[in-house]
C-alpha cells in the first residue's frame, strides 16, 4: 500500500509461513509428471531388455543435433534461474530480460526438435523403436511448449507491472517447472542418445 | 456449554438386551465359544468351499496348499466375526447410561502382538506356498508327450509334433485333447492373435496364451478313461464364452494305440481336391476377418452340385465353408479348413431350391445367405 | 445439542439463481455434494448394467443380449463403477469433510477443485457416447492388449481412452488439491498427528493417486498411439510386448484398489469411535498401517499377472502376503475401539459394522490369491469376482453410505430417517452376501469370469440364479435410500451442529456451515478437539463457571 517493495517486514513473532501454497501445488504437479515420464521410461527399458540388437538395425539418431539442443536447454535453465534471482531482489526489468532469453531458447529447442523429426529416417509407425522415440521426445516437446506458454504468460504479467521482491510466486513456479522440463530432457538425452 | 451426552433419535437401539438374553457373562462366553467352534467346524468341513479333487499331481499339490491356507482363513474369519458380533451385543449402550466409557487410547503390547503374529503367519504361508510352487512348476528334462496348443479367435488347435497329428475344434464343442495318464505331458502354448488362457478346472490350473511368447507347463494326469472340460479364461472377444475344449485321458498303452490309429487315418484320407478339379460352377468366397465373410450372399442352381472356392485372407485364423438349413440342421461341413493364406475348393452336392445359411464352423458368427433356385 | 451463533451480518446472500450458484461454485462443500450426486447417478446407471448382466446369467444359455453387447456391459459396468462412482464418491466425501476437519476455510485451490469435478460428467458422457457412435468399449475395464488394439476392437475403445484421460486428470488435480490443503491449510494447533484418521487416509490416498495414475495415463496414451498412429508398443509382430500394457496398467491398478478402500476405512475410523463413545484405539498404529498399505501397495502389482508366465512369482507373492498385515492391524484396532465402549446403532454405525463383517471376507479371499499356485486355479474365475465385490461393494460402498448417513446432517441440517436407513442397510447387507458369496463356490467349480453364458451341463445353474436374486435385492436397497433423501430434504432442518456428539471440527460449526466454514475454532490439543472442548478439563471448568452465572442459552 505504501509502494515500498524492497524491505520485507519482519514476520509475526512465532509465525512460520513456510513455502507458498501455490509452489506446493506446482511441486506436487511435477511429482505426478515425473511418474508420467517414469511410465514412458519404464516402457523403453522393458522393451529394450527384450531385444538383443538395440536400437534395431536401420535406426540412426542425430547425436550432434541433440547435443546442441541439450546445451540450449541447459543454458535456458540458467537464464531462468537468473530471472528468479533478479526478481527476488526486486529487479523486474532484469527478470523480464532474462525470461525473454529463456523463452527464445525454449522456442529454438522446439524448432530444433521439429527439424530433427523431419530429418530422421523413421516415424512413429516404424516399429517399436520409432514408436518409443517419438512418443518420449514428443511428450517432452509438449511439456516444453507448455513451459514456453506458461513463461510467456508470466512475462506478460511482468511487463504489465506485476511482481515484486515480495510477491512473485508465479515466477518461482514456472522456474521450477522449467528446471523439471530440463531434467527430463537430460534423462531422455542420456537414455536415447548416450546409453541407447 | 452443556451437552446432552446421549445422541438423539437412537433411544430405540440403546435399550439393553432383552431379559431372555441377559445371561451371566460366564454362560454367555461359553455359549458364544461353542457357537463359534461349531461354525468353524461347519465351514471347515463344508466341501463346497474346496475346489474339486485334482486330476493331475500338480493339481493335487495345489489342492493340498489350498487346504492348508483354509485353516487359518476360517479360524480368522470365525474369530474376527465372532469378536465383531460379540462386541455389538455385549457393549451396547444401556438406555439411560450417559456415562462415558473408559477412554482407552491404545495398548502398545497389543499392537505389537497383532502385528508380529500375523506377520509370522503370512511368512509361514508364503514359504509353504513357495515350496508348492516349485513342485508345480517343475519340468523334468524328458517329457513323454509334447503338445502344442494354439489358441485363436475363437477355437483351439491341438498338435502333437512327435506324431504329426493336429486337431482343430469346430463350433461350440472345440477339439478333444487326448492324453496318456501316468506320463509326463509337456504343453506349449501359442497364440495366433490376442491373449487367451488354457484352463481346465479339474486340473486346478490355467496359464495364459500370449502372442509373441511360448508359455509352457507339465501335466501328470492321474486317471485314465476320464473326460475333463476346459475353456478359455481370458477375455478374447466376441466368442470368448464359446471357446471350449475337452481333455480325454487314456492308459499309456491305449494312447499309443490311439496314436497309431490316428496316423493311419491321416495317411488314408485322400488329399483335398486340388483347386483345379472343380465340379459344376464355381462360386468365389473370401474371408478377411473373423466377424463375417467378405460376401454376404451366394446364389446356386437347384439340383446341381457346385464348388465354393474359399480364400482365407485373415492372418491368424482358419475358416471353412458349411451350410445349414432354415431349421439349423447342418447339411454340409467343408473340410479341410482353409488355413491363413490358403484357397480351398469345396465340392457341395446338389441342393433343392430354397434359402440356406452358409457359415464358418470355426467361427459360427460368420454367416451369409445361400439362395438356391 | 449445541448451536453455533454466527457473527452478525455474516449471512448476507447475493440474489442469484440456485442453478447458477451450483454450476459456478468453488465452495468445497457444494463441490463435494456435486461429486456425491454425480457418483450416485452413475451408480444407478452402472448398477442397471449389472442387473442386465445378472439377468442374462440367471439361467444357462439365456442369451438375452448378444456376446458383443455382453462384453460391453461388464466393461462399462466395471469402468463406470471404479472411475465414475467409487473414486468420485470418495473424492466428494473428502472434498466435503477434509477442509472442515482440518479447520480450513476451503481447499487450497478452489477453482481447480471445480474444474476437477466438471471433468467427471464430461468424461462420463464421452464414455457412454459410444452407444450413439457405433459402440462402446468391450474389452473389459482392464482393456488388455492385443484385444484392445485397433485390429481386434472398435472405436468404443478410443472413447474409453479419452474419457479415462479426462477422469484421470481430474483425479490427479484433485489429489494435488487435497495434499496442498492438508499440508498448508491446517488450523493452528493441528499438527499432523492430531489430524482425524479420515484426513490421514485421504492424504495417503492422494499420494497414491498422484503417483500411480500418471503411469496409467502414459499407458492409455500408448494404447491410443498404437490404435491410431500405427504404434507398436503392444504389438509383438513389430517388436512390442502385450505384457507391457499389463505391467503399466497394474502398476496403477493395484494402488488404485487401495485408493478405493483407504478413505472408506477412514470413514469407518471416524464413525466407530463416535458411536462407541471412545477414542479410536491405536491412533498411531492406524497411521502406520495406512502408510504401510500405501507404500507396500506399489510393490504387489504383478499378482494380477501370476498366470502370464512372465513374472518373478516369489517376490510378488511375498509382498502380497505382507500387505494383509496392516489391514489386520486396522481390524483389531476397530474391534478394540468397540470393546468396552457404549455402542449405539444409528445407521452410520450399522453400515460401519456391515463394512467390518463384509470386508473381512474380501480380505481373506484375497489373501488366498496371494499364493501363485492357488491363483493358477482361481485367477480369472468367479472367485476373483467375489473378492472384488466383497471389498468394493461390501467394503467401499458400505463405507460410503456410512459417511453419507453420518455427514448428511452436517451438509443439509437434517438427519436421514433411521427407519428407512435400517431397511436400506439390511437389504444391502443381505443382497451383498446373497449375490457375491456364492461366487466363491462358482470360482472353485471352475466358472470363468466375463463369459456371456455357460453350458447347462456345467452344473452352475442354481448358484447363478441365487446370485441374480441377490442382485435384485441390492437394487431394491437403493429405493429406501432415495426416498429417505427426498423426504428428509423436504422436512425440517433441525439436526443442529452436533447430532452425533462427535469429536472432530466439522461438528463445531453450523449445519450446514457458512461459506467460510468456521466463525471460531475450539482449541486444538489432540485428535479430538471437540471432545476435549465438551468433556475435557476445560469443559468441566466451563460447565462449573456457567452454572454459577447466568443460565445457559439453549437446551
Amino acid at each position: 500500500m505504501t509502494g515500498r517493495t524492497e524491505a520485507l517486514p519482519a514476520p509475526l513473532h512465532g509465525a512460520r509461513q513456510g513455502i507458498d501454497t501455490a509452489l506446493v501445488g506446482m511441486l506436487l504437479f511435477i511429482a505426478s509428471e515425473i511418474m508420467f515420464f517414469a511410465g514412458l521410461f519404464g516402457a523403453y527399458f522393458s522393451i529394450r531388455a527384450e531385444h538383443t540388437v538395440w536400437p534395431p538395425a536401420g535406426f540412426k539418431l542425430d547425436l550432434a543435433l541433440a547435443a546442441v539442443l541439450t546445451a540450449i536447454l541447459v543454458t535456458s535453465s540458467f537464464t531462468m534461474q537468473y530471472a528468479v534471482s533478479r526478481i527476488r531482489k526486486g529487479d523486474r526489468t532484469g527478470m523480464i530480460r532474462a525470461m525473454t532469453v529463456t523463452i527464445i531458447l525454449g522456442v529454438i529447442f522446439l524448432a530444433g526438435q521439429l527439424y530433427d523429426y523431419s530429418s530422421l529416417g523413421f516415424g512413429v509407425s516404424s516399429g517399436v523403436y520409432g514408436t518409443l522415440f517419438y512418443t518420449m521426445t514428443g511428450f517432452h516437446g509438449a511439456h516444453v511448449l507448455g513451459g514456453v506458454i506458461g513463461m510467456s504468460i508470466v512475462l506478460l504479467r511482468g511487463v504489465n507491472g506485476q511482481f515484486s521482491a515480495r510477491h512473485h510466486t508465479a515466477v518461482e513456479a514456472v522456474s521450477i517447472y522449467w528446471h523439471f522440463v530440463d531434467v527430463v530432457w537430460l534423462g531422455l538425452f542420456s537414455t536415447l542418445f548416450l546409453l541407447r | 456449554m452443556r451437552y446432552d451426552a446421549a445422541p438423539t433419535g437412537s433411544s430405540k437401539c440403546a435399550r439393553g438386551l432383552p431379559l431372555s438374553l441377559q445371561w451371566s457373562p460366564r454362560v454367555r462366553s461359553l455359549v458364544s465359544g461353542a457357537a463359534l467352534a461349531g461354525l468353524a467346524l461347519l465351514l471347515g468341513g463344508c466341501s463346497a468351499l474346496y475346489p474339486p479333487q485334482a486330476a493331475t499331481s500338480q493339481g493335487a499339490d495345489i489342492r493340498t496348499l489350498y487346504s492348508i491356507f483354509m485353516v487359518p482363513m476360517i479360524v480368522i474369519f470365525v474369530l474376527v466375526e465372532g469378536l465383531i458380533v460379540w462386541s455389538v451385543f455385549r457393549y451396547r449402550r444401556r438406555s439411560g447410561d450417559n456415562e462415558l466409557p473408559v477412554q482407552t487410547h491404545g495398548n502398545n503390547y497389543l499392537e505389537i502382538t497383532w502385528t508380529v503374529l500375523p506377520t509370522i503367519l503370512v511368512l509361514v504361508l508364503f514359504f509353504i506356498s513357495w515350496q508348492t510352487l516349485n513342485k508345480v512348476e517343475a519340468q523334468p528334462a524328458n517329457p513323454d508327450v509334447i503338445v502344442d496348443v494354439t489358441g485363436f479367435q475363437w477355437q483351439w488347435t491341438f498338435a502333437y509334433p512327435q506324431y504329426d497329428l493336429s486337431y482343430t475344434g469346430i463350433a461350440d464343442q472345440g477339439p478333444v485333447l487326448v492324453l496318456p495318464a501316468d506320463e509326463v505331458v509337456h504343453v506349449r502354448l501359442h497364440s495366433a492373435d490376442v491373449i487367451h488362457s488354457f484352463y481346465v478346472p479339474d486340473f486346478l490350473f490355467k496359464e495364459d496364451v500370449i502372442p509373441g511368447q511360448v508359455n509352457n507347463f507339465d501335466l501328470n494326469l492321474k486317471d485314465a478313461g476320464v473326460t475333463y472340460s476346459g475353456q478359455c479364461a481370458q477375455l478374447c472377444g466376441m466368442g470368448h464364452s464359446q471357446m471350449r475344449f475337452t481333455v480325454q485321458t487314456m492308459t499309456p498303452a491305449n494312447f499309443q494305440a490311439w496314436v497309431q490309429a490316428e496316423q493311419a487315418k491321416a495317411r488314408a484320407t485322400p488329399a483335398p481336391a486340388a483347386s483345379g478339379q472343380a465340379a459344376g460352377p464355381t462360386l468365389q468366397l473370401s474371408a478377411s476377418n473373423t466377424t463375417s465373410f467378405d460376401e454376404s450372399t451366394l446364389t446356386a442352381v437347384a439340383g446341381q452340385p457346385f464348388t465354393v472356392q474359399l480364400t482365407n485372407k485373415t492372418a491368424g485364423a482358419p475358416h471353412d465353408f458349411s451350410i445349414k438349413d432354415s431349421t439349423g440342421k447342418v447339411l454340409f461341413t467343408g473340410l479341410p479348413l482353409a488355413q491363413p493364406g490358403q484357397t480351398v475348393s469345396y465340392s457341395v452336392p446338389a441342393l433343392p431350391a430354397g434359402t440356406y445359411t452358409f457359415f464358418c464352423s470355426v467361427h459360427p458368427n460368420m454367416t451369409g445367405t445361400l439362395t438356391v433356385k | 445439542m449445541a448451536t453455533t451463533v454466527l457473527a452478525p451480518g455474516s449471512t448476507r446472500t447475493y440474489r442469484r439463481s440456485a442453478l447458477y450458484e451450483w454450476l459456478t461454485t468453488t465452495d468445497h462443500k457444494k463441490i463435494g455434494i456435486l461429486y456425491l450426486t454425480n457418483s450416485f447417478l452413475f451408480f444407478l446407471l452402472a448398477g442397471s448394467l449389472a442387473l442386465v448382466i445378472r439377468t442374462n446369467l440367471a439361467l444357462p444359455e439365456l442369451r438375452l443380449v448378444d456376446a458383443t453387447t455382453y462384453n460391453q456391459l461388464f466393461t462399462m459396468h466395471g469402468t463406470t463403477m471404479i472411475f465414475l462412482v467409487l473414486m468420485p464418491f470418495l473424492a466428494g466425501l473428502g472434498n466435503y469433510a477434509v477442509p472442515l476437519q482440518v479447520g480450513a476455510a476451503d481447499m487450497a485451490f478452489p477453482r481447480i477443485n471445480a474444474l476437477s469435478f466438471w471433468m467427471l460428467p464430461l468424461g462420463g458422457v464421452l464414455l457412454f457416447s459410444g452407444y450413439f457412435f457405433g459402440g462402446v468399449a468391450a474389452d473389459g475395464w482392464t482393456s488388455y492388449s492385443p484385444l484392445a488394439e485397433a485390429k481386434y476392437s472398435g472405436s468404443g475403445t478410443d472413447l474409453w481412452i479419452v474419457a479415462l484421460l479426462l477422469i484421470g486428470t481430474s483425479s490427479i488435480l484433485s489429489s494435488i488439491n487435497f495434499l496442498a490443503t492438508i499440508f498448508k491449510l491446517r488450523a493452528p494447533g493441528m499438527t499432523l498427528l492430531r489430524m482425524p484418521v479420515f484426513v490421514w487416509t485421504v492424504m495417503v490416498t492422494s499420494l497414491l493417486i498422484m503417483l500411480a495414475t500418471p503411469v496409467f495415463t502414459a499407458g492409455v496414451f500408448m494404447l491410443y498411439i498404437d490404435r491410431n498412429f500405427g504404434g507398436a508398443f503392444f504389438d509383438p509382430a513389430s517388436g512390442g510386448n502385450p505384457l507391457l500394457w499389463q505391467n503399466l496398467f497394474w502398476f496403477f491398478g493395484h494402488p488404485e484398489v487401495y485408493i478405493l478402500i483407504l478413505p472408506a476405512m477412514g470413514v469407518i475410523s471416524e464413525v466407530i469411535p463416535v458411536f462407541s463413545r471412545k477414542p479410536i484405539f491405536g491412533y498411531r498404529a492406524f497411521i502406520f498401517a495406512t502408510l504401510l498399505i500405501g507404500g507396500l501397495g506399489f510393490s504387489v502389482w504383478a499378482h494380477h499377472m501370476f498366470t502370464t508366465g512372465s513374472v518373478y512369482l516369489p517376490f510378488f507373492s511375498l509382498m502380497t502376503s505382507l500387505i494383509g498385515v496392516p489391514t489386520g492391524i486396522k481390524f483389531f484396532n476397530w474391534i478394540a475401539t468397540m470393546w468396552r465402549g457404549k455402542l449405539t446403532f444409528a445407521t452410520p454405525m450399522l453400515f460401519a459394522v456391515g463394512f467390518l463383517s463384509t470386508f473381512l471376507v474380501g480380505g481373506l479371499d484375497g489373501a488366498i490369491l496371494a499364493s501363485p499356485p492357488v491363483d493358477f486355479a482361481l485367477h480369472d474365475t468367479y472367485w476373483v469376482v467375489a473378492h472384488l465385490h466383497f471389498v468394493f461393494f461390501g467394503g467401499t460402498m458400505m463405507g460410503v453410505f456410512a459417511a453419507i448417513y453420518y455427514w448428511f446432517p452436517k451438509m443439509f441440517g437434517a438427519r436421514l430417517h433411521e427407519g428407512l436407513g435400517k431397511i436400506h442397510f439390511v437389504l444391502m447387507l443381505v443382497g451383498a452376501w446373497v449375490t457375491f458369496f456364492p461366487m466363491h463356490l462358482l470360482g472353485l467349480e471352475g466358472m470363468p469370469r466375463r463369459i456371456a453364458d455357460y453350458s447347462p451341463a456345467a452344473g452352475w445353474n442354481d448358484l447363478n440364479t441365487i446370485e441374480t436374486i441377490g442382485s435384485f435385492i441390492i437394487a431394491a436397497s437403493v429405493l429406501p435410500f432415495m426416498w429417505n433423501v427426498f423426504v428428509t430434504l423436504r422436512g425440517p432442518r433441525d439436526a443442529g451442529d452436533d447430532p452425533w456428539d462427535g469429536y472432530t471440527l466439522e461438528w463445531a460449526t453450523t449445519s450446514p456451515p457458512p461459506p467460510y466454514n468456521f466463525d471460531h475454532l475450539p482449541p486444538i490439543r489432540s485428535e479430538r478437539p471437540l471432545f476435549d472442548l465438551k468433556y475435557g478439563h476445560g469443559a468441566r471448568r466451563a460447565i462449573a463457571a456457567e452454572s454459577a452465572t447466568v443460565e445457559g442459552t439453549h437446551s
Side-chain angles (χ1 to χ4, degrees):
Chain A
M1 271 196 301
T2 61
R4 290 168 56 218
T5 55
E6 54 277 26
L8 292 168
L12 295 169
H13 177 71
R16 277 186 301 166
Q17 304 282 341
I19 184 174
D20 188 301
T21 307
L23 288 183
V24 171
M26 175 53 81
L27 286 171
L28 292 169
F29 174 69
I30 286 173
S32 75
E33 292 291 278
I34 289 174
M35 290 309 292
F36 173 76
F37 280 100
L40 296 180
F41 276 93
Y44 181 83
F45 282 112
S46 74
I47 301 262
R48 175 176 176 269
E50 290 166 3
H51 287 76
T52 42
V53 178
W54 190 264
F59 288 90
K60 288 235 150 321
L61 298 180
D62 190 344
L63 177 60
L65 174 59
V68 168
L69 294 179
T70 306
I72 290 173
L73 207 57
V74 170
T75 307
S76 75
S77 257
F78 280 101
T79 55
M80 182 71 233
Q81 193 57 35
Y82 182 71
V84 169
S85 76
R86 285 284 88 212
I87 192 61
R88 280 181 185 162
K89 298 198 178 84
D91 176 10
R92 195 184 307 120
T93 316
M95 177 209 84
I96 288 170
R97 286 201 200 114
M99 279 203 68
T100 309
V101 174
T102 310
I103 292 172
I104 291 173
L105 290 175
V107 172
I108 294 177
F109 175 91
L110 283 171
Q113 188 71 279
L114 286 173
Y115 171 73
D116 191 24
Y117 284 175
S118 68
S119 58
L120 284 171
F122 58 91
V124 72
S125 54
S126 312
V128 73
Y129 186 83
T131 314
L132 279 164
F133 180 86
Y134 279 95
T135 303
M136 293 167 81
T137 57
F139 272 113
H140 174 261
H143 282 75
V144 171
L145 181 62
V148 163
I149 294 173
M151 287 190 294
S152 303
I153 294 173
V154 169
L155 180 67
L156 216 60
R157 290 177 62 185
V159 163
N160 278 340
Q162 298 183 24
F163 304 129
S164 65
R166 206 173 151 192
H167 298 295
H168 58 268
T169 311
V171 184
E172 300 268 2
V174 291
S175 148
I176 298 174
Y177 178 82
W178 192 250
H179 295 321
F180 153 72
V181 160
D182 192 11
V183 168
V184 172
W185 175 255
L186 289 175
L188 279 174
F189 179 67
S190 315
T191 305
L192 293 173
F193 291 88
L194 300 180
L195 177 70
R196 283 192 293 273
Chain B
M1 263 176 289
R2 267 201 345 220
Y3 286 78
D4 185 314
T8 55
S10 54
S11 51
K12 263 203 267 193
C13 311
R15 257 182 249 137
L17 290 169
L19 267 166
S20 55
L21 279 176
Q22 279 173 8
W23 301 323
S24 76
R26 196 142 177 261
V27 173
R28 247 186 268 149
S29 34
L30 272 171
V31 170
S32 312
L36 290 177
L39 186 57
L41 276 170
L42 190 70
L43 285 172
C46 184
S47 64
L49 285 176
Y50 286 80
Q53 291 295 341
T56 61
S57 65
Q58 292 88 353
D61 291 330
I62 294 176
R63 197 176 193 281
T64 307
L65 180 66
Y66 179 90
S67 317
I68 294 174
F69 265 73
M70 279 301 268
V71 171
M73 295 304 153
I74 291 188
V75 168
I76 293 172
F77 174 75
V78 169
L79 173 74
V80 178
E81 290 283 10
L83 285 170
I84 294 170
V85 172
W86 172 257
S87 309
V88 160
F89 284 103
R90 171 68 179 84
Y91 297 113
R92 299 171 81 102
R93 187 179 80 96
R94 310 289 184 261
S95 92
D97 179 1
N98 287 341
E99 289 267 324
L100 288 175
V102 175
Q103 302 285 295
T104 314
H105 279 77
N107 180 318
N108 282 340
Y109 294 116
L110 275 178
E111 298 291 350
I112 292 171
T113 307
W114 61 48
T115 305
V116 168
L117 289 184
T119 305
I120 294 174
L121 173 66
V122 299
L123 287 176
V124 167
L125 289 176
F126 163 71
F127 276 110
I128 297 174
S129 163
W130 197 359
Q131 300 306 315
T132 306
L133 177 65
N134 290 335
K135 272 171 51 180
V136 167
E137 289 197 317
Q139 290 182 15
N142 297 310
D144 298 296
V145 177
I146 298 176
V147 176
D148 279 315
V149 172
T150 304
F152 55 91
Q153 285 180 322
W154 290 281
Q155 209 29 275
W156 301 92
T157 298
F158 298 134
Y160 302 81
Q162 298 155 303
Y163 315 121
D164 203 21
L165 294 170
S166 170
Y167 304 92
T168 302
I170 286 189
D172 266 358
Q173 308 149 312
V176 179
L177 179 59
V178 177
L179 293 176
D182 298 320
E183 295 197 333
V184 177
V185 176
H186 182 71
V187 179
R188 303 192 291 221
L189 299 171
H190 313 263
S191 168
D193 41 40
V194 299
I195 299 181
H196 302 272
S197 189
F198 181 90
Y199 175 42
V200 180
D202 286 301
F203 296 176
L204 273 68
F205 186 85
K206 67 177 67 66
E207 187 140 348
D208 290 350
V209 181
I210 301 172
Q213 68 187 67
V214 180
N215 284 342
N216 50 75
F217 59 90
D218 278 3
L219 295 170
N220 287 51
L221 292 147
K222 297 199 292 186
D223 302 311
V226 190
T227 305
Y228 306 103
S229 51
Q231 70 181 105
C232 177
Q234 178 62 50
L235 178 69
C236 55
M238 184 168 34
H240 170 60
S241 316
Q242 319 306 126
M243 202 169 147
R244 302 178 187 148
F245 60 92
T246 43
V247 179
Q248 215 174 72
T249 61
M250 299 182 171
T251 63
N254 286 351
F255 177 75
Q256 287 306 322
W258 174 84
V259 167
Q260 307 286 356
E262 290 293 308
Q263 286 174 325
K265 232 196 306 183
R267 279 190 297 267
T269 309
S275 310
Q277 294 173 25
T282 304
L283 303 177
Q284 299 293 337
L285 183 63
S286 61
S288 305
N289 58 53
T290 55
T291 324
S292 57
F293 288 103
D294 295 335
E295 290 77 23
S296 56
T297 54
L298 293 173
T299 322
V301 177
Q304 213 183 54
F306 59 97
T307 304
V308 172
Q309 197 176 69
L310 173 63
T311 306
N312 185 344
K313 297 181 189 167
T314 50
H319 297 292
D320 78 352
F321 175 82
S322 304
I323 303 174
K324 62 184 175 188
D325 66 14
S326 48
T327 70
K329 175 162 166 247
V330 177
L331 303 172
F332 175 78
T333 302
L335 281 173
L337 299 172
Q339 297 299 329
Q342 268 189 347
T343 303
V344 176
S345 292
Y346 300 101
S347 301
V348 184
L351 290 169
T355 311
Y356 304 86
T357 306
F358 66 88
F359 66 101
C360 167
S361 55
V362 181
H363 311 99
N365 51 289
M366 293 172 66
T367 57
T369 311
L370 171 66
T371 312
V372 180
K373 49 184 184 199
Chain C
M1 241 174 1
T3 315
T4 301
V5 177
L6 294 177
S10 60
T11 51
R12 199 185 125 207
T13 51
Y14 293 90
R15 299 196 65 200
R16 53 187 188 187
S17 80
L19 179 66
Y20 180 81
E21 176 64 38
W22 282 94
L23 286 176
T24 60
T25 184
T26 59
D27 179 344
H28 73 97
K29 298 182 288 298
K30 290 209 169 63
I31 291 176
I33 292 170
L34 284 171
Y35 265 103
L36 295 175
T37 310
N38 178 76
S39 280
F40 189 74
L41 292 173
F42 277 108
F43 177 64
L44 293 178
L45 178 54
S48 308
L49 299 178
L51 288 179
V52 180
I53 293 172
R54 278 300 344 148
T55 308
N56 193 56
L57 289 176
L59 294 169
E61 293 179 343
L62 219 48
R63 302 203 182 146
L64 290 177
V65 296
D66 64 75
T68 302
T69 305
Y70 186 84
N71 290 353
Q72 291 177 343
L73 283 172
F74 62 72
T75 301
M76 296 300 280
H77 168 78
T79 306
T80 306
M81 281 297 190
I82 287 176
F83 292 104
L84 289 164
V85 178
L86 292 181
M87 281 182 88
F89 258 135
L90 300 173
L93 294 172
N95 243 299
Y96 196 90
V98 166
L100 285 167
Q101 288 195 326
V102 299
D106 206 312
M107 296 275 277
F109 307 116
R111 284 171 295 187
I112 293 183
N113 204 15
L115 174 69
S116 288
F117 169 69
W118 288 107
M119 290 168 91
L120 282 180
L122 179 60
V125 163
L126 267 175
L127 182 68
F128 280 90
S129 67
Y131 279 121
F132 300 108
F133 294 119
V136 297
D139 319 315
W141 87 278
T142 48
S143 194
Y144 276 11
S145 69
L147 184 64
E149 300 273 20
K151 201 162 137 190
Y152 300 110
S153 65
S155 58
T157 306
D158 287 314
L159 286 169
W160 182 88
I161 290 173
V162 177
L164 285 179
L165 284 171
L166 264 177
I167 296 170
T169 306
S170 153
S171 269
I172 293 172
L173 289 176
S174 143
S175 71
I176 291 173
N177 224 336
F178 279 119
L179 289 169
T181 306
I182 293 169
F183 291 152
K184 294 294 295 179
L185 298 188
R186 281 172 283 128
M190 184 166 287
T191 59
L192 284 174
L193 287 175
R194 290 178 186 162
M195 295 195 309
V197 176
F198 179 69
V199 178
W200 270 104
T201 57
V202 171
M203 187 183 100
V204 174
T205 302
S206 300
L207 281 167
L208 293 180
I209 292 175
M210 196 185 75
L211 298 174
T213 313
V215 176
F216 180 58
T217 307
V220 294
F221 265 122
M222 290 183 209
L223 183 62
Y224 194 84
I225 290 171
D226 264 24
R227 288 175 55 87
N228 296 290
F229 296 105
F233 283 112
F234 311 123
D235 178 15
S238 310
N241 186 352
L243 288 180
L244 174 63
W245 168 265
Q246 291 190 32
N247 277 301
L248 288 168
F249 182 86
W250 287 116
F251 185 81
F252 154 77
H254 197 83
E256 169 69 3
V257 313
Y258 296 118
I259 289 166
L260 292 173
I261 197 61
L262 285 176
M265 290 179 161
V267 170
I268 303 306
S269 307
E270 297 292 309
V271 170
I272 289 185
V274 167
F275 289 87
S276 307
R277 311 208 73 210
K278 287 175 61 199
I280 188 88
F281 189 96
Y283 172 86
R284 289 183 185 211
F286 254 101
I287 311 302
F288 170 71
T290 305
L291 291 168
L292 200 58
I293 290 175
L296 282 178
F298 274 101
S299 69
V300 301
W301 81 91
H303 68 223
H304 301 269
M305 300 164 57
F306 276 165
T307 57
T308 60
S310 304
V311 165
Y312 184 58
L313 300 172
F315 171 77
F316 288 99
S317 172
L318 174 64
M319 303 312 287
T320 309
S321 307
L322 287 174
I323 208 164
V325 174
T327 304
I329 294 175
K330 292 195 173 195
F331 258 86
F332 293 126
N333 277 295
W334 284 319
I335 293 172
T337 305
M338 294 195 295
W339 197 265
R340 299 216 178 120
K342 300 201 174 171
L343 310 180
T344 53
F345 290 97
T347 311
M349 185 61 166
L350 287 176
F351 276 101
V353 173
F355 173 99
L356 288 184
S357 49
T358 313
F359 182 79
L360 174 66
V361 173
L364 292 175
D365 65 23
I368 288 197
L369 293 172
S371 162
V374 176
D375 189 68
F376 294 158
L378 298 176
H379 174 65
D380 264 338
T381 67
Y382 262 79
W383 180 279
V384 179
V385 182
H387 164 67
L388 72 92
H389 284 97
F390 264 88
V391 294
F392 287 153
F393 188 73
T396 307
M397 275 314 293
M398 291 238 179
V400 166
F401 280 120
I404 291 176
Y405 281 93
Y406 183 59
W407 279 318
F408 196 91
K410 178 56 54 181
M411 294 178 190
F412 299 107
R415 282 176 42 180
L416 288 165
H417 293 281
E418 282 297 315
L420 287 168
K422 284 179 175 52
I423 297 174
H424 175 197
F425 168 70
V426 169
L427 286 175
M428 185 168 169
L429 185 71
V430 170
W433 280 77
V434 172
T435 310
F436 301 119
F437 194 84
M439 291 183 179
H440 293 107
L441 309 179
L442 282 175
L444 288 167
E445 289 178 26
M447 182 172 176
R449 56 187 294 202
R450 297 174 167 167
I451 51 173
D453 62 28
Y454 49 94
S455 160
W460 301 331
N461 308 10
D462 296 337
L463 290 176
N464 267 294
T465 311
I466 292 172
E467 290 167 7
T468 303
I469 294 172
S471 67
F472 280 90
I473 298 175
I474 293 175
S477 77
V478 174
L479 299 171
F481 172 73
M482 286 168 40
W483 180 248
N484 203 349
V485 172
F486 178 70
V487 164
T488 305
L489 288 178
R490 293 176 71 206
R493 308 291 178 103
D494 58 358
D497 295 358
D498 184 17
W500 309 118
D501 197 20
Y503 301 156
T504 41
L505 288 177
E506 73 268 33
W507 309 110
T509 183
T510 57
S511 299
Y516 49 86
N517 288 347
F518 295 98
D519 230 25
H520 52 263
L521 285 167
I524 299 167
R525 294 287 174 266
S526 80
E527 78 273 9
R528 297 196 295 169
L530 192 58
F531 178 88
D532 292 340
L533 183 68
K534 292 183 287 187
Y535 299 105
H537 301 297
R540 288 201 276 278
R541 273 206 296 277
I543 292 170
E546 198 178 271
S547 53
T549 57
V550 188
E551 67 266 26
T553 52
H554 35 260
S555 59

